[in-house]
Amino acid sequence: MKRILIACFLLTAAASVAPTQHAAAYSAAAPVTVASFTAKVNLMDSQIGAGSMTAAQATWEEIHTMMLSVLGVTKNSILTAPTPAAKTAYETILNNQTVIYQAAWNLKPNLATNRVLIKAKLLEFAATIY
């Protein structure tokens, strides 16, 4: 039962993160690191705090592209895992990333109101970057 649930979850994640082509283009230019991701999150937080919602929205788009890139890297790691144990570990990471991604995406429509929660979720996502 758990395997069916995990398979459905992975299929849902794969379907909901369809624009990975954009993410691949980003990662080729600049690999996403914890530091670069965290810097963008802090930038967006400061823009929201300053009331610059247009700039915060633009930064969110960059963060979103970075998140898609990270998800793409993890999916590729699953496909190229050298051992079943490594594949399972990457699948666990992808599951965690996908849950956090969905939570952040659901908070995104109102950046100002959800400022604290979205920053927490994005920093939680940063912790899954390898």
Side-chain angles (χ1 to χ4, degrees), residues 7 13 18 22 25 27 38 42 52 57 60 63 67 95 106 117 119:
H22 297 290
S27 66
T38 302
N42 289 332
S52 182
Q57 184 63 39
W60 162 261
I63 291 169
M67 290 171 73
N95 287 338
N106 291 336
L117 291 173
K119 182 177 181 182

Side-chain angles (χ1 to χ4, degrees), residues 1-128:
M1 184 69 173
K2 288 182 182 178
R3 289 183 184 193
I4 292 172
L5 182 59
I6 289 173
C8 290
F9 189 75
L10 287 173
L11 283 172
T12 303
S16 68
V17 187
T20 18
Q21 290 177 348
H22 297 290
Y26 183 87
S27 66
V32 178
T33 64
V34 174
S36 65
F37 189 84
T38 302
K40 284 289 180 189
V41 171
N42 289 332
L43 174 62
M44 183 182 74
D45 184 59
S46 67
Q47 290 167 333
I48 295 169
S52 182
M53 297 313 293
T54 302
Q57 184 63 39
T59 303
W60 162 261
E61 295 302 327
E62 293 176 30
I63 291 169
H64 183 247
T65 300
M66 293 171 89
M67 290 171 73
L68 293 178
S69 179
V70 169
L71 290 167
V73 167
T74 306
K75 287 178 186 178
N76 186 58
S77 295
I78 291 169
L79 293 174
T80 61
T83 66
K87 182 177 180 178
T88 300
Y90 288 127
E91 287 171 340
T92 300
I93 292 168
L94 181 64
N95 287 338
N96 292 337
Q97 288 173 338
T98 304
V99 167
I100 299 165
Y101 170 88
Q102 287 294 338
W105 182 261
N106 291 336
L107 294 169
K108 173 232 169 218
N110 194 339
L111 293 175
T113 301
N114 297 324
R115 176 183 178 190
V116 173
L117 291 173
I118 199 165
K119 182 177 181 182
K121 282 297 171 191
L122 293 174
L123 293 178
E124 187 178 342
F125 187 89
T128 68

